[in-house]
Amino acid sequence: MTVRTLIGATSLLAMVATGTLVHAATPQPGETLSDNQTFTYRVLDEFPSIDPGLIEDVEGSHVARQLFEGLLSQDAQGNVVPGVATEWTASEDGTTWTFKLRPEAKWSNGDPVTANDFVYAWRRAADPALASPYAWYIELMKVANAGPVIAGEMPSDQLGVRAVDDHTLEVRIDSPIPYFPQMVTHTTTFPVPQKVIEEFGNQWTQPGNMVGNGAYVLSERVPQERIVMTKNPNYWDAQNVIIDTVTALIINDEQQALTRYLAGEMDQTDIPIGQYPRLKEEYPTEAIAVPNLCTYFYHVNMTDAAPEALKDQRVREALSLAIDRDILVNNVLAGGQTAAYTLTHEATAGWEVPEVPAAAMTQEERNARAQELMAEAGYGTDGEPLTLEILYNTDQAHQQVAVAVSQMWKQTLGIDTTLANQEWQTFLDARKQADYQLARAGWCADYNEASSFLDVFTSNSDSNDSKYFSDEYDALMEQSRTAEDPLPIYQEAEEMLARDVPLLPIYFYSSDFIMDDSIKGYAVENAQENWYAKDMYRVAQE
Amino acid sequence: MLSFILRRLLVAVPTILILIVISFILMFAAPGGPFNSEKPLPAAVMANIESRYGLDQPYVVQIFNYVWNIVAHFDFGPSFKYRDQTVTGLIAQGFPVTLTYGFWAFLVAVVVGVALGVLAAIRHNTWLDYLATGSAIGASVLPNFVLAPILVLVFTLWLGWLPGGGWNGGQWQYVVLPVIALATTYLAAIARITRSSMLEVMNSNFIRTARAKGLPMSRIILRHALKPAMLPVLSYLGPAFVAMITGSVVIDVFFSTGGIGQYFVNSALNRDYSVIMGVTILVGVLTILFNLVVDILYAWIDPKIRL
Amino acid sequence: MAFHDPTADALQAPARPDKGRSLWTDARRRFFRNRAATVALVALVLIAVFAFLGGFIAQYERDYVDFSLIGINATKGVPSIATGHYFGTDQEGRDLFARTVQGTRLSLLIGVVGSMVAVIVGTLYGAISGYFGGRVDSVMMRVVDILLSIPFMFVLILMLVMFGRSLLMLFIGIGLISWLSMARIARGQTLSIKNKEFVEAAIATGVRPLTIILRHVVPNLLGVVIVYATLLIPEMIIYESFISFLGLGVQEPNTSLGALISRGAGQIGNGVPWQLGFPLFFFVVMLFAFFFVGDGLRDAIDPKDR
């Protein structure tokens, strides 16, 4: 896997820094703090894990960022700021990183946090014995020997990380990565307490057992109901922590969660599809929409098993053109999503969306062109009747999009579409087996860089469910890996996708939530939405 | 009687074994797996996970190991999806929750349902009958996924009397809405079966004789009619009781109670094999147990029934 | 207990066609004397008319999306005679009237088919199990116990994977689950009925077991069976939406009352009450009607009742 820029260019400036600046909750002049310093938010489902080594989802990492502190942290804009490490430097050739740890850092049981705790955590995350679904992250960071360790070909103590002394950590990586400091803000790199894990085994994440080095400690955990974290008096910067209790309520139904939010039971929840405009009008300061690095598109089956019509490039292009994306994003979804004519999310760092022909047209022009193409291909209104099937996983939003798209095709092109929904696992399997005609997909970036999207359509990608095999495309992506400036190559790749149409791009995701406006310091501007409760506070409402 | 119970418990063992085997076959045959997602995991990582959970073993070995761990260690394994939890831990946490709201819902449904049913039967085809039957149906007519959000809208958002969800260790405020939502589902069924059965009993010769002798009505109902009329209600209540104390996915999802009801659907959707098996066995055991209880009660109601 | 005691007739004359007819005529007379049941029956007929003929007065196709209405449902998609959207529009901007007509039709079929399967399979299974008792009963009931406990969702998923989706598969899926609890109820009643004098008399006169079950046991089960069958109808209608969620059942743009109600319920408090209101109205009326018709039928065939 290749990575270039995990985060925006701003972070590159923080390559070498010394930690005099301390990041903490800083109320603005004129703000009065509330007596009630709690933050309660909603999550969809029980956390698969809150063990930093095992975390594989966003919600789990939010919890881990309160309970643990990594080498480095992020500020509200996503820039790197000191965490346990106060200084970090790269060697001349960029393949050895040295982190100086603050001596006052303590675990919640009072033990000091040492470089060995990091060494243990990293080895553990890569070790096949733990079988972490995120082990590949250590490999992504290019830590020396990560690959063989994960594959079980080398013992985990061969991993390229060592403690020079109690407060100095040294990491060897295979090739220079300028944004390495950004990578160690990720939860997989957080330290874990060896003594505690060895004592309690996989029960160490239960309240009472769990020991962390973050600003909060786990005080209550009821599966499928709630998780409560309270202020950690042993945290080195505890005197600057204002929020004293952080609670995550597990509420499966998002409509129910919204009702309870409106009843004042929590401070933050997601906005269900289609309701953003109404809530924005009623609660202008509380409803928030921010870009989310995911793209919604339909895979087109490119295998021989696909219907004849789909093998015709003109048909595929006509299908893509006839989708009125403005209606979808403005009326159906209506939550700050934007129309997509290409694959890579527009908000991706260092990315400029290339001007593909479809994007430049008006919808009338697109429809006209689509009808022309369809007529040439001999299908639709005046040609052979055509029936296609859209496969999607059962979900209200996907259904609404599919219904609208099928009607656009019917009304513009005169072709029929049947809709087929399946439960998630059956759907994934059918799509993997290419047992579909058109299938919904939502791809999210693993890291903030265009190749995280574009790699999907390379021939050897596990996610290339369209089965789009193009040597030209593969060559382009290969070329981009060593290029000085990969942007023009990426754009060329996008143009190829627009030409061959193995996918119908539909929209770029946004993340819509509603949050009580007494909560300050939330990381709204952080592209990854990585928030730290220690940087937040609640102001008194008049 | 004792030998009957022993015999039934003995039969329960192979029954549960067959249940386990059939469930495993269904699970393995279904497409998907616990670690599949939109983003396929790298092969090496996937191999580690599969070996960690024994999924790389032949199916027969997996089933055997599973049963052996239960028999030898009473260990139902770790959850595949919620990796911090064991199946035993999840059930130990969630079952008391569903047991609590399920038991209260059962009590409400039985007391109110039977009362309405009896009332409707003794005032057969009068306005009281229609009122009793009508209100029993009226209470149950909303599917609970409609009733639940309405209850929260009214009692939480508008009136502000009760919390809209959560469990909080089972404080009464948190129990009320789930109990109402669950009880109403079963209320109409109990009332209507009671009414129907009561009508048959009230028309039987021995009740007619009792009435002819001039015994007071309340005495006839309580001492003579109610017991035999409960036979079909019992048949219904056996499985219904199991369904109630193991909770309901709708209740758990809408009220975020943290009960085990949600696992019946979610674990299967997640292909969380060990949790699926855990709740399946729980329901299997409870079903067999309560059907045994029902059969014993049959014999108590109607001594002519030979066990 | 009150049971129709056919022994007397059976001993006198084996064939009695006239008597049978008069029994049903009697039942019909009793049924129509029951006002609640009659009103309910009329309501059911009206719903059936709506479900099967309502399409003729719909102004729109059930799958036609009016793109000018999407997203502004709360203000523009309101029910109105003028726009032709009698029941308003749904979240996708489709005519809710046409969709409710089609959904009601499908759910009506599902409810009826589901409870028919339950009545036929469940009653016979339960009666046979209860009548023979002993080892037969033990095996038959353990089979039911197992079927009640297995993760049934995988059965449905496998049906989808193996046979693809179709209405037939939906009905099979419904049928497979519907009869289980009915079998338990029928068996419980049979245990008691088989000790009655008329059954013992029939055994003594050498009537074959199957004949006894069909002639003497099943008719005496009917009261409870009918009442319970009507209770299954709403359960099956709701269960259908779960099957469809998995992908086996009804697919968009087709719909069902269960799907319409659950979509509408998701919009509670969002200013589009008609999306829940209209489908729920038909569901509720249908339920009341089935319940009262069921009670009426029960009363009508209970021979001791007046």
Side-chain angles (χ1 to χ4, degrees):
Chain A
M1 210 165 288
T2 28
V3 191
R4 278 180 195 93
T5 328
L6 206 74
I7 274 308
T10 44
S11 55
L12 298 179
L13 302 174
M15 245 179 82
V16 177
T18 44
T20 42
L21 83 260
V22 165
H23 202 72
T26 40
Q28 301 300 306
E31 286 180 339
T32 333
L33 288 180
S34 163
D35 295 335
N36 166 24
Q37 290 299 337
T38 60
F39 176 61
T40 307
Y41 68 106
R42 173 251 178 179
V43 296
L44 171 72
D45 191 14
E46 170 61 20
F47 303 90
S49 180
I50 57 168
D51 175 338
L54 288 173
I55 288 170
E56 52 178 319
D57 69 326
V58 178
E59 297 301 351
S61 64
H62 285 327
V63 168
R65 263 193 302 280
Q66 320 314 323
L67 299 177
F68 296 87
E69 184 167 55
L71 290 167
L72 302 174
S73 301
Q74 291 179 350
D75 66 10
Q77 283 72 42
N79 302 314
V80 169
V81 294
V84 176
T86 50
E87 288 174 36
W88 53 101
T89 48
S91 62
E92 203 67 2
D93 63 353
T95 58
T96 306
W97 282 87
T98 310
F99 296 86
K100 285 275 176 210
L101 312 189
R102 63 178 81 243
E104 71 271 31
K106 281 200 194 96
W107 289 100
S108 56
N109 62 4
D111 294 349
V113 175
T114 68
N116 281 309
D117 295 322
F118 285 92
V119 174
Y120 173 73
W122 290 29
R123 285 177 182 168
R124 177 174 177 264
D127 197 330
L130 184 70
S132 168
Y134 242 67
W136 57 267
Y137 189 82
I138 302 287
E139 198 176 353
L140 190 76
M141 295 199 303
K142 300 194 182 174
V143 177
N145 295 337
V149 169
I150 293 167
E153 292 154 6
M154 228 181 232
S156 63
D157 58 13
Q158 298 294 305
L159 194 68
V161 54
R162 73 184 184 104
V164 176
D165 58 48
D166 271 0
H167 301 293
T168 313
L169 183 76
E170 185 190 278
V171 185
R172 280 180 298 114
I173 56 179
D174 289 332
S175 55
I177 322 177
Y179 48 84
F180 192 76
Q182 264 295 352
M183 298 200 81
V184 299
T185 63
H186 192 276
T187 48
T188 311
T189 69
F190 285 5
V192 289
Q194 179 168 11
K195 213 170 71 181
V196 178
I197 293 174
E198 278 165 3
E199 184 180 349
F200 295 108
N202 58 8
Q203 293 299 300
W204 83 279
T205 52
Q206 297 303 323
N209 302 351
M210 198 169 194
V211 165
N213 69 329
Y216 297 87
V217 286
L218 180 68
S219 56
E220 200 186 338
R221 183 176 189 190
V222 186
Q224 298 289 5
E225 199 216 340
R226 70 176 65 217
I227 208 165
V228 183
M229 296 168 274
T230 46
K231 198 169 153 176
N232 172 10
N234 278 326
Y235 179 60
W236 63 270
D237 197 24
Q239 75 273 15
N240 287 318
V241 175
I242 299 178
I243 297 275
D244 52 36
T245 311
V246 181
T247 308
L249 297 177
I250 296 149
I251 305 172
N252 298 148
D253 187 80
E254 59 180 4
Q255 185 61 44
Q256 204 71 348
L258 181 63
T259 310
R260 289 174 62 188
Y261 170 87
L262 295 176
E265 288 189 21
M266 67 199 91
D267 301 311
Q268 190 208 41
T269 188
D270 297 314
I271 296 178
I273 177 187
Q275 297 192 37
Y276 180 76
R278 179 180 73 87
L279 292 168
K280 187 76 191 169
E281 202 176 299
E282 284 177 53
Y283 310 94
T285 55
E286 298 180 32
I288 298 164
V290 291
N292 180 2
L293 293 185
C294 305
T295 304
Y296 192 104
F297 61 91
Y298 284 158
H299 277 290
V300 181
N301 189 336
M302 301 288 281
T303 65
D304 288 337
E308 267 322 297
L310 285 183
K311 292 177 187 160
D312 188 331
Q313 185 273 345
R314 292 169 299 189
V315 173
R316 299 198 299 269
E317 192 177 346
L319 291 175
S320 185
L321 286 168
I323 299 173
D324 187 341
R325 290 150 175 98
D326 294 326
I327 284 187
L328 292 176
V329 297
N330 295 331
N331 300 340
V332 177
L333 305 154
Q337 296 85 353
T338 48
Y341 299 92
T342 45
L343 176 60
T344 309
H345 194 291
E346 57 182 2
T348 308
W351 173 244
E352 287 164 34
V353 180
E355 187 79 340
V356 296
M361 298 187 223
T362 65
Q363 190 58 41
E364 286 71 40
E365 289 166 354
R366 280 184 214 116
N367 288 347
R369 177 74 187 133
Q371 284 160 351
E372 242 174 73
L373 284 166
M374 232 8 153
E376 276 174 38
Y379 295 101
T381 321
D382 301 313
E384 227 179 289
L386 178 59
T387 305
L388 294 172
E389 185 180 88
I390 301 176
L391 181 71
Y392 61 99
N393 54 306
T394 314
D395 178 273
Q396 194 194 326
H398 305 332
Q399 181 192 312
Q400 282 182 230
V401 170
V403 165
V405 168
S406 72
Q407 277 290 306
M408 288 164 184
W409 288 345
K410 188 170 190 175
Q411 292 175 21
T412 311
L413 302 174
I415 64 167
D416 289 316
T417 316
T418 54
L419 305 185
N421 67 283
Q422 287 178 348
E423 63 85 38
W424 180 236
Q425 288 286 341
T426 313
F427 163 81
L428 280 183
D429 198 67
R431 205 180 70 189
K432 181 115 300 232
Q433 312 291 334
D435 183 13
Y436 71 91
Q437 298 181 1
L438 299 147
R440 173 261 155 192
W443 185 261
C444 296
D446 282 321
Y447 42 92
N448 193 351
E449 218 265 344
S451 61
S452 191
F453 290 97
L454 293 168
D455 278 341
V456 170
F457 284 90
T458 54
S459 301
N460 59 4
S461 153
D462 285 334
S463 307
N464 184 354
D465 289 343
S466 293
K467 315 287 175 201
Y468 169 67
F469 301 131
S470 160
D471 294 338
E472 199 187 338
Y473 187 85
D474 294 348
L476 267 181
M477 291 312 292
E478 201 48 53
Q479 193 193 333
S480 77
R481 295 185 211 297
T482 48
E484 188 79 3
D485 176 17
L487 180 63
I489 305 175
Y490 290 156
Q491 292 181 326
E492 205 183 326
E494 285 279 12
E495 278 154 17
M496 265 197 75
L497 292 179
R499 189 191 72 207
D500 293 346
V501 210
L503 79 155
L504 317 178
I506 297 179
Y507 68 86
F508 299 132
Y509 278 78
S510 67
S511 143
D512 303 347
F513 59 93
I514 186 164
M515 189 169 69
D516 198 291
D517 42 19
S518 65
I519 296 290
K520 304 289 175 193
Y522 188 84
V524 179
E525 290 166 57
N526 183 326
Q528 293 163 310
E529 242 185 88
N530 289 341
W531 53 269
Y532 296 81
K534 70 179 177 65
D535 299 341
M536 291 157 51
Y537 54 95
R538 188 196 284 275
V539 294
Q541 303 275 58
E542 295 83 43
Chain B
M1 177 65 99
L2 200 67
S3 84
F4 164 77
I5 295 175
L6 280 176
R7 223 171 337 119
R8 279 285 285 273
L9 291 179
L10 217 60
V11 177
V13 175
T15 311
I16 293 290
L17 273 178
I18 294 172
L19 174 64
I20 290 175
V21 172
I22 293 180
S23 304
F24 260 107
I25 293 173
L26 289 172
M27 244 163 38
F28 288 141
F35 304 106
N36 296 8
S37 68
E38 181 88 47
K39 287 184 184 161
L41 287 171
V45 174
M46 190 64 150
N48 289 342
I49 293 177
E50 288 189 335
S51 110
R52 163 86 173 71
Y53 290 104
L55 292 172
D56 51 351
Q57 312 257 357
Y59 291 146
V60 180
V61 177
Q62 287 189 45
I63 298 178
F64 179 81
N65 284 345
Y66 181 79
V67 175
W68 176 249
N69 280 334
I70 293 176
V71 175
H73 315 289
F74 202 68
D75 177 8
F76 291 80
S79 163
F80 291 4
K81 162 94 179 179
Y82 308 116
R83 293 190 59 176
D84 296 346
Q85 314 287 346
T86 60
V87 176
T88 322
L90 285 177
I91 292 179
Q93 199 286 314
F95 192 39
V97 173
T98 55
L99 199 60
T100 308
Y101 75 70
F103 175 76
W104 286 112
F106 180 80
L107 216 63
V108 170
V110 170
V111 170
V112 178
V114 169
L116 286 177
V118 169
L119 200 67
I122 55 178
R123 292 278 179 268
H124 187 209
N125 278 347
T126 63
W127 64 270
L128 206 62
D129 177 13
Y130 297 146
L131 185 74
T133 316
S135 54
I137 302 171
S140 307
V141 89
L142 292 182
N144 52 11
F145 63 84
V146 176
L147 183 63
I150 291 178
L151 285 174
V152 172
L153 208 61
V154 173
F155 289 99
T156 306
L157 188 58
W158 294 346
L159 297 174
W161 291 352
L162 293 167
W167 188 247
N168 238 3
Q171 288 173 28
W172 70 269
Q173 302 95 315
Y174 293 83
V175 184
V176 175
L177 294 183
V179 167
I180 295 175
L182 187 59
T184 52
T185 318
Y186 294 91
L187 207 148
I190 295 172
R192 296 190 57 239
I193 296 174
T194 305
R195 173 186 177 276
S196 149
S197 166
M198 196 70 187
L199 280 174
E200 283 182 9
V201 175
M202 292 303 281
N203 285 318
S204 66
N205 294 330
F206 77 95
I207 296 292
R208 289 184 177 200
T209 317
R211 288 168 81 167
K213 278 201 261 175
L215 288 176
M217 201 57 185
S218 58
R219 199 185 145 99
I220 294 176
I221 293 165
L222 290 175
R223 296 288 287 275
H224 301 288
L226 202 52
K227 193 169 138 185
M230 282 298 104
L231 196 76
V233 182
L234 259 183
S235 310
Y236 174 78
L237 286 184
F241 184 67
V242 175
M244 280 164 134
I245 62 167
T246 51
S248 128
V249 60
V250 176
I251 302 295
D252 285 343
V253 163
F254 279 90
F255 294 110
S256 311
T257 45
I260 58 168
Q262 61 200 317
Y263 295 128
F264 292 98
V265 174
N266 292 355
S267 65
L269 288 176
N270 291 332
R271 306 293 193 273
D272 193 342
Y273 294 155
S274 50
V275 176
I276 297 170
M277 290 310 301
V279 292
T280 299
I281 293 173
L282 179 71
V283 170
V285 169
L286 289 175
T287 301
I288 290 172
L289 216 60
F290 282 98
N291 283 341
L292 173 60
V293 171
V294 166
D295 281 357
I296 293 169
L297 288 175
Y298 280 161
W300 173 70
I301 285 178
D302 182 353
K304 275 184 167 173
I305 293 180
R306 292 174 298 265
L307 292 175
Chain C
M1 277 207 185
F3 291 101
H4 171 43
D5 184 349
T7 28
D9 318 323
L11 290 173
Q12 286 164 9
R16 46 189 205 310
D18 311 335
K19 192 123 199 322
R21 194 184 303 141
S22 77
L23 202 74
W24 289 112
T25 327
D26 252 23
R28 189 164 55 216
R29 200 168 42 76
R30 275 199 299 266
F31 181 87
F32 283 111
R33 237 182 20 220
N34 182 337
R35 227 171 315 146
T38 316
V39 171
L41 189 66
V42 172
L44 261 191
V45 170
L46 288 179
I47 288 180
V49 168
F50 169 80
F52 287 92
L53 302 177
F56 290 111
I57 57 164
Q59 301 291 310
Y60 299 87
E61 291 291 318
R62 66 175 195 285
D63 64 343
Y64 178 79
V65 172
D66 188 340
F67 286 107
S68 65
L69 291 179
I70 286 191
I72 43 172
N73 258 301
T75 50
K76 294 282 163 52
V78 291
S80 143
I81 299 287
T83 60
H85 293 298
Y86 308 131
F87 291 180
T89 57
D90 69 0
Q91 282 304 101
E92 282 93 345
R94 293 175 294 189
D95 183 40
L96 197 59
F97 179 81
R99 298 183 67 69
T100 308
V101 167
Q102 187 263 318
T104 307
R105 186 164 66 228
L106 190 91
S107 291
L108 200 56
L109 277 177
I110 284 168
V112 171
V113 170
S115 49
M116 291 292 267
V117 173
V119 167
I120 296 167
V121 179
T123 310
L124 283 180
Y125 191 97
I128 291 171
S129 176
Y131 181 81
F132 288 106
R135 205 158 287 170
V136 176
D137 178 46
S138 176
V139 171
M140 287 178 84
M141 280 302 118
R142 295 302 78 73
V143 169
V144 171
D145 285 350
I146 290 176
L147 289 178
L148 276 172
S149 313
I150 55 167
F152 195 70
M153 197 161 110
F154 289 114
V155 176
L156 298 170
I157 290 175
L158 287 173
M159 281 167 62
L160 168 67
V161 175
M162 290 198 281
F163 306 111
R165 66 192 140 260
S166 68
L167 267 190
L168 178 68
M169 281 300 132
L170 173 64
F171 284 122
I172 293 177
I174 296 264
L176 279 179
I177 196 87
S178 66
W179 63 275
L180 295 172
S181 47
M182 182 68 93
R184 284 209 62 86
I185 290 180
R187 170 200 174 251
Q189 291 301 93
T190 308
L191 287 181
S192 167
I193 291 169
K194 74 173 178 187
N195 297 321
K196 299 289 169 216
E197 300 81 2
F198 60 85
V199 176
E200 278 165 1
I203 297 171
T205 51
V207 183
R208 284 185 310 137
L210 215 62
T211 318
I212 295 179
I213 289 172
L214 289 177
R215 283 270 175 77
H216 305 292
V217 176
V218 170
N220 279 301
L221 292 174
L222 277 186
V224 171
V225 165
I226 288 175
V227 167
Y228 191 66
T230 59
L231 284 168
L232 280 172
I233 291 174
E235 231 174 274
M236 293 303 118
I237 291 176
I238 298 303
Y239 197 66
E240 173 277 321
S241 31
F242 176 66
I243 297 183
S244 297
F245 168 89
L246 297 178
L248 187 65
V250 183
Q251 301 285 327
E252 287 286 334
N254 292 326
T255 190
S256 67
L257 277 187
L260 288 172
I261 292 170
S262 82
R263 284 296 299 278
Q267 299 295 332
I268 286 180
N270 295 340
V272 286
W274 60 88
Q275 290 184 359
L276 175 63
F278 286 108
L280 194 60
F281 171 80
F282 283 95
F283 179 76
V284 167
V285 172
M286 200 152 101
L287 282 190
F288 265 98
F290 270 119
F291 285 4
F292 278 107
V293 167
D295 284 353
L297 273 180
R298 194 222 69 86
D299 295 353
I301 60 165
D302 183 353
K304 287 274 172 62
D305 193 17
R306 222 150 312 190

